[in-house]
Amino acid sequence: MSKIKICYLNVFEAHLFPLTTLLNDKDQSLEIFQTKIGYVGSWCWESAICLASYCYDHMFEQFRNKRIVEIGSGTGIVGLQLSALGGHVTLTDREEYLELINYNIEKNRQVLTGTAQAKTLFWGDDFDSNDADFQNLDFVIVANCVYHSIELDQLVKTICSLCPMNSSTCVLCCYELRNDGIRQLVDEFHRELNSMNFSIETISSTDFRLQYQNDYNSIVKCQRKTPFN
């Protein structure tokens, strides 16, 4: 069985630990490098690994040749999983994370059956209207991006810009609901999305791999509705 191998760049923890997660129809393995030296985007969060495995298990054929943007990509684990399933993925984050994202893209280039590129994107900023990478998207990935209240409005603005009214773009979000503060923040995030005409469907944890079925991993699918729905 192929595995995602999570690799620490931290010189004090220079080792691999494997996760039993299949990647593509060629049974090839993906290696995602992370470091515990840095901020929250420098390592792979459990719920992001849960989302990557959910996409493989339940949406295997849905990403091939699809246009995808991941915001707050961090290590790029989810976006690279979708590129391994044939998606054309733009992985975005703050400039300081692009080196790690590009490193992981290059380390896995041979197993990506789609395409992957990294770009800087600050939540709340306006997009270049001529940048086709942010237009006509099939999926937007939001993995572990809800953790600070002061950034919620900017995050929602960016999601709305990527998913204009009447678009069919599917937004896949995951969270780690480890305390009441994060749960309340996610509830607020969902209320803001609802106010912008997004429907929200919570995925049953019974669809997660057994090791991720707990009381904190959460995945939702969101889609913007027309004003008349």
Side-chain angles (χ1 to χ4, degrees):
M1 177 178 290
S2 296
K3 300 174 180 179
I4 291 179
K5 299 174 183 177
I6 306 301
C7 310
Y8 288 102
L9 296 179
N10 185 337
V11 294
F12 301 107
E13 299 185 65
H15 66 275
L16 302 175
F17 76 88
L19 299 168
T20 52
T21 304
L22 289 171
L23 292 174
N24 61 24
D25 54 4
K26 297 179 181 178
D27 200 30
Q28 295 171 310
S29 296
L30 185 70
E31 286 193 335
I32 303 298
F33 287 80
Q34 64 179 349
T35 174
K36 287 191 172 180
I37 299 176
Y39 195 45
V40 293
S42 300
W43 61 86
C44 298
W45 290 77
E46 183 179 318
S47 63
I49 303 168
C50 176
L51 176 57
S53 60
Y54 172 84
C55 289
Y56 180 91
D57 292 338
H58 299 282
M59 303 178 70
F60 188 90
E61 297 291 341
Q62 296 184 38
F63 302 106
R64 190 174 304 280
N65 296 319
K66 295 300 191 294
R67 297 170 55 81
I68 303 165
V69 165
E70 181 178 14
I71 58 180
S73 297
T75 64
I77 183 171
V78 181
L80 288 172
Q81 171 72 88
L82 304 190
S83 179
L85 295 178
H88 301 301
V89 185
T90 300
L91 300 98
T92 72
D93 212 316
R94 296 179 182 272
E95 186 174 0
E96 57 264 33
Y97 293 118
L98 292 196
E99 183 178 8
L100 181 57
I101 294 171
N102 277 315
Y103 183 88
N104 280 323
I105 290 173
E106 293 308 315
K107 291 293 288 187
N108 293 283
R109 185 74 71 181
Q110 73 279 4
V111 301
L112 303 180
T113 60
T115 61
Q117 64 173 336
K119 285 193 172 185
T120 302
L121 178 63
F122 288 89
W123 301 346
D125 286 358
D126 294 327
F127 304 139
D128 180 351
S129 60
N130 296 316
D131 193 338
D133 292 325
F134 296 127
Q135 300 173 6
N136 302 312
L137 301 175
D138 298 291
F139 292 93
V140 170
I141 308 302
V142 186
N144 284 105
C145 292
V146 179
Y147 53 83
H148 206 307
S149 60
I150 63 174
E151 296 180 336
L152 274 190
D153 288 346
Q154 294 97 315
L155 178 58
V156 171
K157 178 182 176 182
T158 295
I159 293 171
C160 289
S161 297
L162 294 170
C163 308
M165 199 68 73
N166 300 323
S167 69
S168 58
T169 309
C170 176
V171 184
L172 293 173
C173 305
C174 69
Y175 323 100
E176 291 186 21
L177 307 175
R178 292 181 179 270
N179 56 59
D180 288 342
I182 294 297
R183 290 178 183 274
Q184 292 170 8
L185 202 57
V186 169
D187 287 343
E188 181 181 349
F189 174 60
H190 288 173
R191 285 194 295 271
E192 290 198 28
L193 287 179
N194 280 145
S195 72
M196 302 304 294
N197 291 311
F198 281 89
S199 62
I200 298 173
E201 174 192 355
T202 300
I203 304 303
S204 172
S205 62
T206 58
D207 289 333
F208 302 168
R209 295 193 177 181
L210 186 60
Q211 65 266 43
Y212 307 125
Q213 293 181 17
N214 49 46
D215 62 355
Y216 56 84
N217 283 321
S218 177
I219 298 174
V220 301
K221 292 181 181 180
C222 308
Q223 194 163 21
R224 206 162 194 186
K225 302 176 290 184
T226 68
F228 307 104
N229 285 350

